[in-house]
Amino acid sequence: MDTQLKKGAMDLCVLSLLGRKDYYGYGLVQKISRIISISEGTLYPILRRLKNEGYLQTYFKESKEGPSRKYYSLTKKGKMKSIKLHEEWKEFTKKINKILKER
Amino acid sequence: MERIYQKNKQNFKGKMNKKEFLNELKEHLVGLSKDDVKEIIEDYEEHFKVGKKKKRKEFEIAKSLGNPKEIAREVRKELKKDKESSSFESGLIEFWVGVKKTSKDIYFNLKKEIPNAVNSLARLFKSGNKKRSSWKIFGTVLLNFILTIVWIGLLCLIFGLIISFGAVVISGIVTFLVAIFSLSMPFAGALTNLFLSGLFAGIGLICIGMIFIILFSLLFKGFVKITKKYLNWNKKMFRGEKNEKSK
């Protein structure tokens, strides 16, 4: 799959996963990379940018297995962005499907 | 010496451990603020920690994280929205990191080679002429040492030539501009021929300079290619020697 396309969809994936529950970095990266083949390392820069843009916030929480981990959660702005991106995605795929089915 | 070459070999296979990965990443993050670098490194450190808890090996984690160079490029891209300038900057930084690494390699090789040369020389005197292999090692080391010096000299020569022809181009531009400027002066009529010749001399200088710069750039490319070939050959030599010893 085209990497550029993948990256654009990555924002939506991250935001909608975090809409359901909070993840720590490793868990989120694993969850996505298990389904979509992407270099795991390239997800952290995306997380950083989304945080800088105010869509995500981070907090530290103790884990059962030792040191505290950095958790990511959606901000209000992030929730709105997630909804907006989801709508856009649905529209976009609908149109593409329409073209693909046309004969 | 064998240890260095083995270490190099490991790097070539791309099996990095945590420390190597983080160091490489840090090296490629030059130019970012200290806080940014610290935060980024911490994220990846945590990733390694959690991964190890899940019974994954360090090199596996590093492998699935991807190439540090690419990650650094991604970080830079995400930090700046203007993609073109950041990719240019990334290119420059990657070039700079490459130069730094190569010079570091040369430095460390030299540092190891000199005591090695002294050692094999000492061994040579102790054992007399009986051992041929020590002659061989000594020969290779000496050859490498001399070649390194010659290499540095040649590199400086080529760079010097490129820069000096850059100066020729600049002088051509200046001549050209001065000629144009003086043609527009009121008293130009009497000296028009002189100014015109200045104009063409300027154009000529620019062309000559450009041609030589292109020529020497090509020469530089060839030089780099030959260096790479020589390094590969050298590696093979040492590996061959190792095999001989193990027999």
Side-chain angles (χ1 to χ4, degrees), chain A:
Chain A
M1 199 175 163
D2 178 37
T3 41
Q4 210 55 40
L5 198 61
K6 239 191 259 183
K7 256 179 239 153
M10 223 33 75
D11 283 19
L12 177 59
C13 291
V14 169
L15 289 176
S16 72
L17 276 176
L18 287 172
R20 275 169 245 162
K21 72 175 220 213
D22 294 356
Y23 280 92
Y24 58 92
Y26 186 89
L28 187 66
V29 167
Q30 287 300 312
K31 180 115 189 167
I32 291 175
S33 70
R34 211 169 283 154
I35 300 168
I36 303 168
S37 72
I38 184 173
S39 297
E40 292 174 14
T42 52
L43 274 168
Y44 284 100
I46 294 174
L47 285 172
R48 272 178 61 76
R49 191 206 26 169
L50 288 172
K51 190 190 166 192
N52 284 341
E53 286 172 342
Y55 300 129
L56 305 182
Q57 56 195 12
T58 56
Y59 60 91
F60 283 90
K61 206 171 101 182
E62 296 286 319
S63 72
K64 292 164 220 158
E65 310 155 315
S68 61
R69 288 173 186 170
K70 193 181 188 178
Y71 276 78
Y72 294 86
S73 70
L74 276 192
T75 60
K76 222 176 212 171
K77 199 179 160 195
K79 263 175 208 158
M80 304 222 308
K81 180 82 178 171
S82 172
I83 292 166
K84 199 181 148 218
L85 276 180
H86 200 167
E87 287 303 317
E88 280 174 12
W89 177 260
K90 272 196 258 176
E91 273 299 302
F92 181 67
T93 46
K94 215 160 95 189
K95 283 173 190 162
I96 297 286
N97 279 331
K98 206 173 166 190
I99 290 172
L100 291 181
K101 277 173 194 161
E102 251 173 32
R103 295 266 154 157

Side-chain angles (χ1 to χ4, degrees), chain B residues 78-96:
Chain B
E78 299 289 3
L79 271 178
K80 274 176 197 156
K81 289 190 176 161
D82 187 0
K83 274 185 184 168
E84 261 176 48
S85 83
S86 75
S87 78
F88 175 69
E89 203 187 303
S90 271
L92 270 185
I93 286 170
E94 274 159 28
F95 175 73
W96 166 242

